[in-house]
């Protein structure tokens, strides 16, 4: 049976189409890897690419996308509504056909090591790839955001899993992980009342407990015009 893996990197660019297109071209430059979706959110200033295919091809496509993002995105000038710590943000591998989570963790470690070595971007591993228990949850890594991590990265508890304990001068740091397939959606509310968004988020957390689904999560943030809840 042919092995199939999915890689879904998030990039801190959602307003310059020419940059998004060049990242897409990098993904499409590797035979055996297929770019199946690009989702762009201008208010977040963020885009999400979905690549599937042969594990080795997806691994190479993943590196080429990271390389292009590091070249073109400067976090010193980035503003957006979504939490982020670098030009390449949350980037999970997902096992699909005839793939195990353990095999994806191996891909994750190989990519993290290469990104740190060749691009000089520090890498933090999360979820199933986490090397520290406090880094299993992505939000724990992303909590200080780019600006806060600039001040924290040289502290022992914030040392990256790959690379030196210093931010890339323009690309920041990168969270890289392994997770199961997930259905994700955003709810945009016609209000700036964060309390309402919190109620909606709490309803998902209660459903998670009732259904005993530990992989389900919900969080909220404010955009320029509304509060937003995500699950």
């Amino acid at each position: 049976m042919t092995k199939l893996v999915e890689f879904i990197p998030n990039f801190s660019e959602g307003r310059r189409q020419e940059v998004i297109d060049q990242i897409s071209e990098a993904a499409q430059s590797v035979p055996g890897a297929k770019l199946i979706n690009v989702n762009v959110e201008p208010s977040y200033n963020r885009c999400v690419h979905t690549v599937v295919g042969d594990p080795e091809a997806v691994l190479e496509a993943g590196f080429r996308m990271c390389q292009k993002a590091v070249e073109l995105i400067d976090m010193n000038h980035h503003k957006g509504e979504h939490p982020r710590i670098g030009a390449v943000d949350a980037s999970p591998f997902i096992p699909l056909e005839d793939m195990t989570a353990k095999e994806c963790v191996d891909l994750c470690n190989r990519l993290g090591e290469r990104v740190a070595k060749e691009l000089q971007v520090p890498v933090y591993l999360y979820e199933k790839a986490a090397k520290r228990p406090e880094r299993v949850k992505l939000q724990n890594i992303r909590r200080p955001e780019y600006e806060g991590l600039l001040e924290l990265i040289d502290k022992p508890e914030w040392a990256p899993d790959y690379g030196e304990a210093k931010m890339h001068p323009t690309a920041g740091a990168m969270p890289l992980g392994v997770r199961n397939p997930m259905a994700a959606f955003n709810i945009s509310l016609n209000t700036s009342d964060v309390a309402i968004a919190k109620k909606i988020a709490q309803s998902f957390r209660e459903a998670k407990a009732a259904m005993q689904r530990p992989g389900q999560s919900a969080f909220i943030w404010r955009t320029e015009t509304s509060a937003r809840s995500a699950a």
Side-chain angles (χ1 to χ4, degrees):
M1 185 179 292
T2 302
K3 290 182 178 292
L4 196 65
V5 70
E6 184 176 34
F7 185 53
I8 310 180
N10 290 243
F11 300 102
S12 296
E13 180 55 67
R15 298 169 186 168
R16 295 182 297 165
Q17 190 60 48
E18 68 277 11
V19 172
I20 297 167
D21 288 344
Q22 287 185 65
I23 295 171
S24 299
E25 289 166 6
Q28 294 169 318
S29 68
V30 182
K34 184 175 180 61
L35 179 66
I36 62 171
N37 187 62
V38 179
N39 182 59
V40 180
E41 283 278 5
S43 66
Y44 299 166
N45 200 4
R46 184 180 186 85
C47 63
V48 185
H49 288 59
T50 302
V51 180
V52 298
D54 170 79
E56 293 299 323
V58 170
L59 182 64
E60 178 61 29
F63 177 78
R64 293 187 189 184
M65 286 189 287
C66 293
Q67 186 177 44
K68 186 57 65 174
V70 169
E71 175 190 336
L72 298 175
I73 298 173
D74 186 345
M75 293 302 296
N76 296 297
H77 305 292
H78 182 271
K79 300 294 180 184
E81 306 296 345
H82 200 287
R84 77 285 185 267
I85 62 170
V88 188
D89 203 62
S91 299
F93 284 96
I94 298 99
L96 295 180
E97 196 167 290
D98 200 34
M99 283 287 292
T100 65
K102 185 177 180 180
E103 289 173 308
C104 284
V105 169
D106 178 63
L107 293 175
C108 190
N109 278 282
R110 289 169 61 193
L111 180 59
E113 184 175 23
R114 189 178 177 191
V115 165
K117 182 178 180 180
E118 297 186 28
L119 305 181
Q120 288 77 55
V121 175
V123 174
Y124 292 86
L125 301 182
Y126 68 92
E127 288 209 23
K128 295 179 185 296
K131 295 181 182 293
R132 300 187 186 187
E134 67 273 19
R135 293 181 181 175
V136 171
K137 291 185 176 181
L138 173 62
Q139 58 263 41
N140 290 342
I141 297 170
R142 240 175 14 193
R143 184 173 289 117
E145 295 208 38
Y146 170 76
E147 292 79 5
L149 193 55
L150 285 169
E151 306 299 324
L152 293 172
I153 194 168
D154 61 348
K155 300 184 182 300
E157 63 270 27
W158 284 97
D161 294 296
Y162 288 104
E164 295 184 48
K166 64 178 183 180
M167 298 282 267
H168 185 282
T170 57
M174 174 182 177
L176 183 62
V178 174
R179 63 165 172 78
N180 293 325
M182 177 182 73
F185 58 91
N186 299 322
I187 303 170
S188 295
L189 308 177
N190 187 25
T191 177
S192 60
D193 189 345
V194 174
I196 295 175
K198 286 183 176 179
K199 279 189 174 182
I200 295 172
Q202 183 59 33
S203 71
F204 283 101
R205 296 187 184 107
E206 291 169 355
K208 163 189 169 181
M211 294 185 290
Q212 297 182 339
R213 293 184 177 176
Q216 182 173 313
S217 62
F219 58 94
I220 64 170
W221 64 93
R222 187 192 298 273
T223 67
E224 293 180 358
T225 56
S226 67
R228 180 169 289 200
S229 179

